[in-house]
Amino acid sequence: MASTIGSAISSISATPRRSSVATAVNGISSLKSVSFSSRRKSLPSIRLQPAPLRFRISCAAKQETVDKVCEIVKNQLALADNIIVAGSSKFSELGADSLDTVEIVMRLEETFEINVDEASAQNIATVQDVADLIEKLAAEKSA
Amino acid sequence: MNQFIRRGMLPMQGGVLSHRLFASLPPLTPSPLPSRREAHLWYVVPDELKDASQLKKYMELLSSCERERVLSMNGERLQKGALLSRALVRTTLARYCRVNPQSIKFKTSKFGKPEIMWQHGDQCNQPSLQFNVSHSSSLIACGITVDVPIGIDVEEKQRKTMSSISSLARRYFSPSEVEYLGSFSNTDARQKEFIKLWTLKEAYVKALGRGFSGAPFKDFTIRLEATKAMQLAAVPRVHIEADSDPEYLTDNWEFALFELSSSHYAAVCMERDISHSGRENEPLRLKVWKTIPFVEDEFVSGTNAVKYICGLS
């Protein structure tokens, strides 16, 4: 089944990522994902679409952080090998339920030695969001 | 199950398309509304639905937004689950409202809880239907009440966690819940108790409708308590931890915990009806149906498909 092609594009220098202008309304992020992957249909063809330039407000997380998050997510959700998880992958589309989510958060806390409180976790929609949050928390910790 | 549909019977909304749709699908069996202290639960087992043409018909019930979301799910299994989830919500609500399932509009509350968006002329806004959906990979359920908020959660009994139960409990549950789980030396039993407790806590948070961050699991405890009523051993009750916010976390909620379809633990949480004093300890009444919408409905309360654990009458 066609899945996100984020990994193919993330190696390009202008890595598109979601803008950080998150409108959190009492805990709900109304931000729409800027997934540039092709819309998945039941046919296995993948259409490459040009990646839109994103307006960067804060620094994107290091690729190795994103990769580590992807690994933890894939592990937790026991995804089939052909399903690619990348920065742009949305948790809602990967079938993560609440128990998966808390397990992932806990694993991330152990791996990166941070503490994720519910408030900072509420705006997370993609793997990239998680990676950014991790680096933010890690930076605050060492500050 | 192809019955002749009398066009005059049901209020048809939408244009020609909905007429054609209704001609190809048998009508949904209308259901009487739940009474004030009652919850209804309808569930579907995705693995029992293999008919691609049936799935296609369900797709036609969805809004274009919902269809897009279904197709954006990663893989056929997840897409099917998302499709059945929406189809179950729409068809279940349609049974009580006697409308075309396609015509129901949804919105989210300011805290993100999905709600029905009533249209002018809808027959269903008085009394108002409340609903909540939950799914695991192998079962999807939709709970219905009238007027009172409801939250439900279903989890596979055998669900294994990647992390240990004790580490998950220490991180997320309240101290007394950690202690309770720790009292089970048998790991299998501890795992089952964890899942049961998880479904109860999740159902409560979903009933509150403020999202996981609005009601952190650590801030409340759910435990079984003896009731004054003789026929019940104990009911689950929620207690708010001392240093959490009492404005948002309330404790006037009733719970029911049961085994569903032999494969799942299910919890239902609904607001307690305090308008009738002296009835606070009356247990939650529940009616359960197994369904393949438009194909088969089966009332399963009182059968092996619904095995009471606690809280139900």
Side-chain angles (χ1 to χ4, degrees):
Chain A
M1 176 57 58
S3 55
T4 180
I5 47 165
S7 59
I9 294 203
S10 62
S11 56
I12 298 169
S13 53
T15 309
R17 61 177 297 277
R18 206 149 52 108
S19 123
S20 306
V21 184
T23 324
V25 180
N26 284 316
I28 306 304
S29 173
S30 56
L31 190 67
K32 288 186 170 49
S33 170
V34 283
S35 179
F36 49 78
S37 58
S38 64
R39 173 190 295 199
R40 281 173 221 97
K41 301 195 175 80
S42 43
L43 299 168
S45 63
I46 302 172
R47 270 204 321 272
L48 269 176
Q49 291 170 5
L53 267 177
R54 287 292 119 197
F55 180 64
R56 271 199 240 173
I57 288 178
S58 55
C59 298
K62 294 197 288 288
Q63 189 57 43
E64 60 176 295
T65 309
V66 176
D67 290 344
K68 190 70 195 156
V69 175
C70 289
E71 189 191 318
I72 289 171
V73 169
K74 277 201 85 162
N75 212 321
Q76 175 64 37
L77 302 180
L79 298 172
D81 287 330
N82 62 319
I83 293 183
I84 302 165
V85 179
S88 60
S89 300
K90 286 168 93 172
F91 286 101
S92 57
E93 292 167 6
L94 294 173
D97 66 11
S98 52
L99 187 45
D100 288 317
T101 306
V102 302
E103 286 220 76
I104 289 168
V105 169
M106 211 170 79
R107 187 55 55 86
L108 292 169
E109 289 180 332
E110 287 163 8
T111 307
F112 294 99
E113 293 175 334
I114 46 167
N115 202 277
V116 181
D117 61 295
E118 277 85 0
S120 31
Q122 68 195 12
N123 292 335
I124 283 173
T126 66
V127 167
Q128 185 72 51
D129 292 338
V130 174
D132 293 347
L133 176 63
I134 287 166
E135 298 213 340
K136 177 169 167 277
L137 292 172
E140 282 169 8
K141 192 181 138 193
S142 56
Chain B
M1 220 179 134
N2 273 315
Q3 299 168 33
F4 177 73
I5 297 168
R6 289 168 298 197
R7 295 279 161 89
M9 257 186 90
L10 295 155
M12 300 292 262
Q13 289 171 34
V16 173
L17 188 62
S18 57
H19 273 262
R20 239 186 284 143
L21 169 69
F22 250 57
S24 65
L25 288 166
L28 290 160
T29 316
S31 287
L33 291 167
S35 65
R36 209 41 173 72
R37 296 182 62 81
E38 198 175 67
H40 287 184
L41 193 87
W42 293 77
Y43 73 94
V44 67
V45 178
D47 288 340
E48 292 179 0
L49 246 153
K50 297 190 214 288
D51 185 351
S53 63
Q54 190 65 47
L55 291 173
K56 199 154 170 279
K57 287 176 185 162
Y58 292 151
M59 200 60 144
E60 287 163 18
L61 299 177
L62 271 49
S63 68
S64 57
C65 204
E66 288 171 338
R67 245 173 264 154
E68 203 178 298
R69 229 173 290 143
V70 165
L71 292 172
S72 73
M73 296 300 287
N74 212 321
E76 269 183 43
R77 188 182 62 83
L78 290 177
Q79 288 186 7
K80 184 178 172 186
L83 168 59
L84 290 175
S85 185
R86 294 317 300 163
L88 179 66
V89 174
R90 285 182 171 275
T91 54
T92 304
L93 291 170
R95 295 173 195 275
Y96 297 99
C97 299
R98 281 111 162 115
V99 296
N100 184 336
Q102 204 176 21
S103 67
I104 302 171
K105 299 236 184 305
F106 296 92
K107 60 176 180 171
T108 51
S109 74
K110 64 175 176 173
F111 299 108
K113 185 173 184 182
E115 293 175 345
I116 303 167
M117 187 160 75
W118 300 115
Q119 321 255 59
H120 178 70
D122 270 352
Q123 299 148 299
C124 237
N125 53 349
Q126 199 64 246
S128 80
L129 274 192
Q130 306 284 317
F131 72 94
N132 194 236
V133 186
S134 174
H135 55 117
S136 70
S137 57
S138 51
L139 190 145
I140 306 168
C142 179
I144 302 279
T145 53
V146 159
D147 279 344
V148 291
I150 177 174
I152 71 167
D153 190 51
V154 296
E155 298 289 348
E156 286 173 355
K157 276 162 54 178
Q158 302 295 340
R159 177 160 186 169
K160 295 286 176 273
T161 54
M162 287 296 209
S163 313
S164 74
I165 298 299
S166 45
S167 60
L168 278 168
R170 269 196 313 271
R171 172 65 180 82
Y172 290 107
F173 282 13
S174 73
S176 41
E177 287 167 341
V178 174
E179 203 183 312
Y180 171 72
L181 287 172
S183 70
F184 291 88
S185 50
N186 179 289
T187 42
D188 197 48
R190 198 184 317 148
Q191 181 263 341
K192 289 197 155 67
E193 290 304 309
F194 175 84
I195 299 293
K196 286 183 203 168
L197 200 42
W198 181 275
T199 57
L200 283 165
K201 289 172 83 76
E202 185 74 0
Y204 171 65
V205 170
K206 291 175 76 183
L208 283 175
R210 299 183 72 90
F212 195 73
S213 53
F217 270 23
K218 243 188 216 303
D219 287 0
F220 63 94
T221 293
I222 296 185
R223 58 168 165 263
L224 292 184
E225 287 184 3
T227 61
K228 299 192 198 87
M230 293 287 283
Q231 61 267 38
L232 278 181
V235 289
R237 284 266 188 267
V238 62
H239 291 267
I240 315 304
E241 295 295 305
D243 50 0
S244 46
D245 198 330
E247 194 194 329
Y248 300 128
L249 293 179
T250 49
D251 60 4
N252 59 321
W253 298 88
E254 297 184 290
F255 296 84
L257 180 68
F258 50 101
E259 278 187 36
L260 189 58
S261 198
S262 305
S263 54
H264 284 69
Y265 290 127
V268 173
C269 173
M270 59 189 271
E271 208 173 44
R272 193 179 305 159
D273 179 10
I274 53 170
S275 59
H276 297 96
S277 64
R279 295 175 64 184
E280 301 88 43
N281 285 329
E282 271 193 30
L284 194 157
R285 279 198 299 276
L286 182 74
K287 287 189 178 151
V288 185
W289 287 263
K290 182 176 176 185
T291 179
I292 299 176
F294 301 111
V295 177
E296 196 179 282
D297 299 331
E298 197 191 334
F299 182 65
V300 294
S301 294
T303 70
N304 279 335
V306 184
K307 274 199 272 201
Y308 156 96
I309 299 175
C310 55
L312 286 174
S313 67

